């Protein structure tokens, strides 16, 4: 049994994992929405948690949580919804994208702005409406035939 | 103070403080009283040297003082001699001040060590060390010159042997590469793009963005133009790219390669029409200006991933530079690609 004497850190850690679970739930909702579309043949959800060291540039390490839902159409084209949270220099950056495959990697077909927050509590307070908008984008998206 | 007929070498050098008189010192000459023994000996040695200017000057002065030479304007010859004596009596021009004490300092060109030049030069030399090493081995212990990546022609029908490294324009107008069977580009192309020699040049590139822009413009424009390469695999004519420079942010000199987007599987798998080749950019850059109808390779405002090409399997990285800046990767598992990711970022708008 591990006990902690720092309740503040505990609550912050809990808040982070609760947020991740909420993001996962919402991405799952996007997957369900996409699966229901006749143009979609296959849906593949997933996520990555990564740490990118600052390295020789002497930048602070960057921590990333990226959740995505890939959708392959019946014509073989692949699109994906990507929700990315990054923490660097004690700032949180939230970005959302709808992308498709391109020669040099993804080509964005959305125009969501990235949002930067000075603290986790600010991110938590601002997250919900942004994620709701992202889920709605899957509902309204029309795949090319 | 020295007398009218003598002068003193300024400063504290070997002749500093030595007074040279125009004749025999007079009893009232104050300089004689202040000469040190060493200075007096030196003065006498100089004044007694036969045939010297000082000797002639002393003799003329004595004649003038003795009335043998008229100094008035009536006698033009004597007057000319007198003017010559006066000329010889003129003290040396004053030295330039060694320090400025008033006003702004003059513009001084930066020393080489104060600019990025040496850093770039070091990168060149480091790369050159590779270039001269025909027996460099890859990670599997094979001689690089014997690997398929080195001997297989690229889409432009060239082997790495025929390619030139990115810094080639710096070397100058002389195409020294024609004198060597250089595996340098091949070394970089095969497996070891991320070697320490090039890591050093990365910081230099960061400090010298304008330099990098220029170099890449030359590299992508002039070299491609001179090489007369044909059309690109992507359909954009390289002649159009040849006329362009490049909007260069970072990189271009080490083993890092860049690709738009994140690391979800579909972004790291080649499209069916790309024939199994995953396309990367060899620097964090874009062609500039863009050909009509072509979107930037790395999209401003969008995220990208940086990969260390040295972490990819030998022979999987093809630096074909076709179109300029293009690096192809093929035959690599998704796991290997993800393990080669070293950074993420957003391309500047």
């Amino acid at each position: 049994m591990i006990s902690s004497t720092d309740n503040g850190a505990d609550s912050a850690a809990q808040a982070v994992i609760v947020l991740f679970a909420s993001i996962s739930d919402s991405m799952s909702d996007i997957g369900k929405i996409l699966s229901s579309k006749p143009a979609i043949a296959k849906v593949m959800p997933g996520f990555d948690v990564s740490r990118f060291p600052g390295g020789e540039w002497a930048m602070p390490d960057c921590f990333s949580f990226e959740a995505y839902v890939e959708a392959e159409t019946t014509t073989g084209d692949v699109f994906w919804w990507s929700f990315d949270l990054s923490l660097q220099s004690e700032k949180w950056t939230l970005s959302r994208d709808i992308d498709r495959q391109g020669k040099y990697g993804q080509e964005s077909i959305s125009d969501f702005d990235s949002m930067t927050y000075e603290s986790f509590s600010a991110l938590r307070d601002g997250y919900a409406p942004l994620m709701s908008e992202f889920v709605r984008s899957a509902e309204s998206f029309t795949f090319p035939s | 103070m020295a007398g009218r007929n003598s002068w003193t070498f300024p400063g504290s050098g070997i002749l500093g403080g030595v007074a040279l008189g125009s004749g025999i010192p007079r009893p009232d000459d104050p300089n004689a009283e202040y000469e040190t023994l060493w200075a007096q000996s030196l003065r006498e040695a100089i004044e007694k040297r036969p045939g010297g200017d000082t000797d002639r000057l002393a003799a003329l002065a004595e004649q003038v003082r003795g009335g043998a030479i008229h100094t008035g304007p009536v006698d033009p010859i004597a007057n000319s001699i007198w003017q010559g004596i006066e000329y010889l009596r003129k003290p040396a021009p004053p030295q330039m001040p060694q320090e400025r004490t008033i006003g702004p300092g003059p513009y001084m060109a930066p020393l080489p060590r104060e600019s990025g030049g040496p850093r770039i030069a070091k990168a060149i030399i480091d790369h050159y060390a590779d270039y001269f090493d025909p027996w460099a081995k890859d990670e599997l212990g094979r001689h690089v010159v014997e690997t398929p990546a080195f001997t297989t022609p690229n889409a432009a029908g060239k082997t790495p042997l025929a390619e030139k490294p990115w810094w080639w324009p710096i070397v100058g107008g002389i195409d020294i590469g024609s004198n060597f069977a250089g595996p340098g580009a091949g070394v970089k192309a095969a497996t070891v793009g991320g070697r320490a020699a090039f890591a050093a040049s990365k910081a230099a590139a960061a400090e010298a963005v304008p330099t990098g822009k220029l170099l890449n413009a030359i590299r992508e424009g002039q070299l491609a133009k001179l090489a007369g390469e044909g059309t690109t695999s992507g359909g954009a004519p390289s002649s159009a790219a040849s006329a362009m420079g490049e909007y260069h942010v970072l990189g271009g000199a080490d083993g890092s390669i860049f690709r738009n987007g994140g690391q979800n599987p579909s972004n790291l798998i080649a499209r069916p029409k790309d024939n199994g080749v995953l396309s990367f950019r060899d620097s964090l850059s874009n062609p500039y200006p863009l050909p009509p109808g072509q979107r930037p390779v790395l999209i401003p405002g969008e995220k990208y991933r940086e990969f260390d090409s040295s972490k990819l399997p030998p022979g999987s990285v093809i630096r074909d530079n076709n179109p300029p800046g293009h690096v192809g990767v093929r035959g690599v598992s998704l796991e290997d690609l993800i393990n080669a990711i070293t950074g993420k970022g957003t391309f500047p708008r």
Side-chain angles (χ1 to χ4, degrees):
Chain A
M1 182 81 183
I2 299 174
S3 61
S4 171
T5 57
D6 190 345
N7 292 329
D10 268 356
S11 59
Q14 290 172 16
V16 170
I17 201 70
V18 167
L19 177 64
F20 284 177
S22 175
I23 292 171
S24 181
D25 284 347
S26 297
M27 297 302 286
S28 180
D29 291 342
I30 290 175
K32 291 174 185 174
I33 293 168
L34 296 175
S35 297
S36 66
K37 293 180 178 286
I40 298 301
K42 187 167 59 175
V43 170
M44 300 151 284
F47 70 91
D48 291 298
V49 181
S50 309
R51 174 182 180 177
F52 301 106
E56 61 198 89
W57 297 104
M59 295 286 289
D61 288 357
C62 178
F63 301 89
S64 171
F65 174 81
E66 183 179 18
Y68 52 82
V69 177
E70 298 180 330
E72 183 176 339
T73 67
T74 52
T75 58
D77 295 325
V78 180
F79 297 80
W80 56 87
W81 273 247
S82 168
F83 189 95
D84 188 6
L85 274 184
S86 296
L87 172 63
Q88 188 173 32
S89 303
E90 301 181 357
K91 291 183 179 179
W92 295 80
T93 302
L94 184 158
S95 60
R96 303 161 291 166
D97 274 308
I98 304 173
D99 307 293
R100 66 183 175 197
Q101 284 182 314
K103 176 177 173 64
Y104 285 91
Q106 73 182 34
E107 293 175 355
S108 179
I109 52 177
S110 61
D111 57 355
F112 296 113
D113 289 330
S114 292
M115 306 292 290
T116 300
Y117 301 93
E118 299 292 331
S119 64
F120 177 76
S121 59
L123 165 68
R124 185 178 52 190
D125 295 342
Y127 151 79
L130 299 176
M131 180 52 98
S132 297
E133 182 185 32
F134 198 44
V135 173
R136 287 197 303 274
S137 72
E139 293 173 344
S140 60
F141 190 82
T142 302
F143 290 92
S145 54
Chain B
M1 287 291 290
R4 185 171 180 270
N5 295 330
S6 66
W7 73 89
T8 303
F9 286 102
S12 56
I14 190 169
L15 295 179
V18 175
L20 298 179
S22 57
I24 300 169
R26 295 182 176 181
D28 59 345
D29 187 350
N31 292 305
E33 299 176 7
Y34 299 114
E35 277 185 331
T36 63
L37 183 61
W38 181 88
Q40 184 179 0
S41 300
L42 183 57
R43 176 179 57 78
E44 290 174 358
I46 293 173
E47 290 180 352
K48 289 178 180 177
R49 189 177 61 182
D53 287 344
T54 305
D55 193 46
R56 288 197 296 271
L57 179 64
L60 286 170
E62 283 303 306
Q63 293 178 56
V64 170
R65 278 196 288 269
I69 299 176
H70 297 284
T71 59
V74 177
D75 186 347
I77 298 176
N79 197 31
S80 299
I81 294 172
W82 178 251
Q83 288 176 353
I85 293 170
E86 287 297 316
Y87 174 78
L88 292 173
R89 279 176 174 170
K90 286 181 181 176
Q95 290 185 334
M96 294 296 291
Q98 299 299 308
E99 293 181 0
R100 290 175 61 92
T101 55
I102 303 173
Y107 170 76
M108 300 294 288
L111 296 172
R113 66 171 182 273
E114 296 169 346
S115 67
R119 294 168 187 254
I120 297 173
K122 182 179 184 306
I124 294 170
I125 292 170
D126 288 342
H127 192 183
Y128 222 52
D130 287 342
Y131 191 80
F132 279 121
D133 181 11
W135 303 113
K137 294 183 178 181
D138 65 10
E139 293 170 343
L140 297 180
R142 301 175 300 180
H143 289 301
V144 171
V145 292
E146 298 171 355
T147 58
F150 187 79
T151 56
T152 304
N154 60 21
K158 293 185 175 184
T159 64
L161 192 69
E163 297 176 356
K164 295 181 176 62
W166 62 270
W167 45 263
W168 211 251
I170 304 175
V171 177
I174 302 172
D175 187 359
I176 62 174
S178 60
N179 297 324
F180 302 107
V187 170
K188 193 177 178 186
T191 58
V192 289
R195 293 172 67 162
F198 282 87
S201 67
K202 195 169 185 177
E207 291 183 4
V209 170
T211 304
K213 183 178 179 180
L214 173 62
L215 294 178
N216 281 277
I218 296 170
R219 171 174 62 111
E220 300 213 344
Q222 297 303 318
L223 287 185
K225 192 173 182 179
L226 291 173
E229 294 177 352
T231 56
T232 68
S233 59
S238 64
S239 59
S242 300
M244 297 183 305
E246 147 178 295
Y247 175 56
H248 190 109
V249 180
L250 293 174
D254 59 12
S256 292
I257 54 178
F258 303 87
R259 182 172 167 85
N260 283 315
Q263 58 200 66
N264 53 302
S266 293
N267 195 46
L268 300 178
I269 296 173
R271 300 175 301 177
K273 61 183 176 182
D274 293 330
N275 299 319
V277 176
L278 205 58
S279 291
F280 293 78
R281 181 88 173 155
D282 70 353
S283 63
L284 201 51
S285 62
N286 271 321
Y288 181 83
L290 286 171
Q294 180 179 319
R295 61 188 301 173
V297 173
L298 296 175
I299 303 169
E302 299 293 335
K303 58 188 176 185
Y304 66 85
R305 288 291 191 274
E306 179 179 359
F307 299 74
D308 184 350
S309 63
S310 69
K311 294 182 178 178
L312 297 174
S316 63
V317 181
I318 310 143
R319 292 181 182 270
D320 55 8
N321 206 35
N322 186 15
H326 178 266
V327 177
V329 173
R330 66 180 166 198
V332 179
S333 68
L334 180 62
E335 182 181 5
D336 284 344
L337 278 168
I338 291 176
N339 288 336
I341 294 176
T342 56
K344 67 176 291 187
T346 301
F347 193 84
R349 290 185 184 277

